Amino acid sequence: MSYRITWIEAERSFDATPDETVLDAARRAGVVLPSECEFGGCGTCRVKLAQGQVSYEDLPDALSPAEAEAGYALLCQARACSDLAISTERVLEAPTAPRRREARVVHVEALAPDVTRLVLAFNDGEPWVFRPGQYLNILPGDTGPRSFSMASSLPADDARGEIELHIRQIDGGHFTQTRLAKLRPGDKLDIDAPLGGFGYHEEDYRPIVMVATGTGIAPLRSMLMQMLASGDTPPIDLYWGGRTLASLYLHDELTALASQHADFRYVPVLSRAHDEWDGARGYVQDAVLSDHPDLGEHAVYLCGSPAMISDAKQAFVANGASVRYLYADSFTFQHPVPVDAAA
């Protein structure tokens, strides 16, 4: 008898017998899952069971009864009792519960021909709390919610408590092509916020590669503001891909940041560059691998089009990146993409 084990994030499956650990079965099948001590003491192989049950000879030291009851497992000691679906995703704890609030339009301006900067604020006097990397839903009322990542720095850095969004126009998008163009300072919008489990995993403390296309730069900008301000981050390489330099609407800001911080490097990548462009060309994920042929020691953050994220994940894992340290903006990759999604 054997059971089918499906690793959700890596889209890999393998078989395990009841008398072997899930980690041993994965190795037998050539599937590399995160692991370290292999006796249940470190927790590196900890996963969430999205489906199925496991058993142990003895409950591992690094897994509490409450965690086991909540559906977590340590694969170096766990034996499958059924087919399993396992998740290695590590979602960050929310800084506050999401709720509906009324926001006021403060400012609207074009950042690029197809990108608008929308700044919102609240009138209720309550502080604006979020984790850099999170997103919000705008509720237009006449259609469904529209999701946009915050590009803002930490709330403490902005006494006005304003939210900055970078909104890309979508052909046929009701909000981005109709409502957005009509917004004026003082107009009201209902929002649900903050949302999402994306953000900086400080506990990793590995060299960081950030990869964005289009307005996927928004949550990474928010995270960078936090990380660089702390003065205690590992080296960060940010790769931002666009068709032309005009589409990289934060190019000057990021270039200035790179000149101010020795451990931050900004690499613009253009897919349709003019002949005089002397920087990186082509797909942004290829530019990363040109500089980092082995990503085994890095943490990687991906924000942008679903196609880029899917291609980058496959290419990076094939070049040593660990799925445990590879993070993608959840609302652009793992969940259905809203019609006017930010990235």
Side-chain angles (χ1 to χ4, degrees):
M1 173 187 291
S2 64
Y3 299 113
R4 194 66 172 167
I5 316 299
T6 300
W7 182 6
I8 295 172
E9 286 76 19
E11 300 179 355
R12 299 288 302 277
S13 294
F14 56 93
D15 292 326
T17 61
D19 60 351
E20 65 181 337
T21 68
V22 177
L23 183 61
D24 284 342
R27 286 178 172 165
R28 180 168 51 80
V31 176
V32 181
L33 281 158
S35 65
E36 191 166 332
C37 77
E38 300 188 24
F39 57 80
C42 70
T44 300
C45 63
R46 183 176 186 264
V47 300
K48 182 69 180 291
L49 297 177
Q51 176 186 325
Q53 294 182 329
V54 298
S55 64
Y56 303 93
E57 292 183 358
D58 296 296
L59 192 67
D61 290 340
L63 187 71
S64 71
E67 289 174 322
E69 182 69 22
Y72 291 95
L74 294 189
L75 298 186
C76 71
Q77 302 298 307
R79 288 169 167 77
C81 300
S82 66
D83 291 346
L84 304 177
I86 61 175
S87 172
T88 51
E89 181 181 18
R90 294 183 294 151
V91 177
L92 292 167
E93 183 178 351
T96 187
R99 63 189 181 92
R100 188 157 300 179
R101 298 175 72 176
E102 184 182 75
R104 165 177 52 86
V105 175
V106 175
H107 186 68
V108 184
E109 70 170 320
L111 290 174
D114 62 345
V115 178
T116 298
R117 178 175 180 255
L118 176 64
V119 180
L120 304 175
F122 297 110
N123 292 324
D124 56 17
E126 296 187 31
W128 168 235
V129 179
F130 74 102
R131 179 184 60 254
Q134 288 192 290
Y135 69 96
L136 57 76
N137 280 344
I138 292 179
L139 310 173
D142 49 351
T143 60
R146 299 296 187 262
S147 300
F148 304 103
S149 293
M150 272 83 79
S152 313
S153 59
L154 285 171
D157 295 337
D158 188 347
R160 298 167 296 182
E162 295 179 350
I163 315 163
E164 179 175 336
L165 308 175
H166 299 167
I167 300 177
R168 179 170 57 90
Q169 294 180 20
I170 305 296
D171 290 340
H174 175 74
F175 180 78
T176 62
Q177 287 201 323
T178 304
R179 287 288 303 278
L180 183 61
K182 297 178 181 178
L183 288 178
R184 298 293 183 269
D187 288 349
K188 305 296 193 300
L189 289 171
D190 288 331
I191 68 168
D192 283 337
L195 300 167
F198 188 69
Y200 172 44
H201 285 257
E202 185 177 1
E203 71 277 10
D204 293 347
Y205 211 84
R206 288 169 159 242
I208 291 169
V209 171
M210 291 181 165
V211 187
T213 55
T215 50
I217 195 65
L220 296 185
R221 176 185 187 263
S222 181
M223 292 162 59
L224 275 171
M225 296 299 105
Q226 175 197 38
M227 296 161 70
L228 296 177
S230 74
D232 182 26
T233 59
I236 303 169
D237 286 357
L238 168 64
Y239 294 78
W240 187 17
R243 292 181 177 180
T244 66
L245 189 58
S247 63
L248 303 186
Y249 54 87
L250 297 180
H251 178 73
D252 291 343
E253 175 184 307
L254 295 171
T255 300
L257 273 177
S259 69
Q260 297 162 12
H261 297 273
D263 286 336
F264 171 55
R265 187 169 73 104
Y266 163 54
V267 182
V269 184
L270 304 183
S271 61
R272 299 183 183 179
H274 295 301
D275 292 341
E276 60 270 20
W277 174 251
D278 60 358
R281 296 171 177 263
Y283 291 119
V284 67
Q285 59 267 32
D286 293 338
V288 172
L289 292 176
S290 177
D291 291 345
H292 302 282
D294 183 354
L295 289 165
E297 299 300 321
H298 290 76
V300 181
Y301 295 83
L302 303 170
C303 296
S305 70
M308 182 279 287
I309 292 175
S310 179
D311 290 347
K313 286 187 71 172
Q314 294 182 42
F316 293 172
V317 169
N319 284 269
S322 169
V323 174
R324 181 177 178 84
Y325 302 108
L326 202 161
Y327 309 102
D329 194 347
S330 60
F331 81 88
T332 59
F333 179 69
Q334 293 179 333
H335 302 300
V337 182
V339 173
D340 294 325

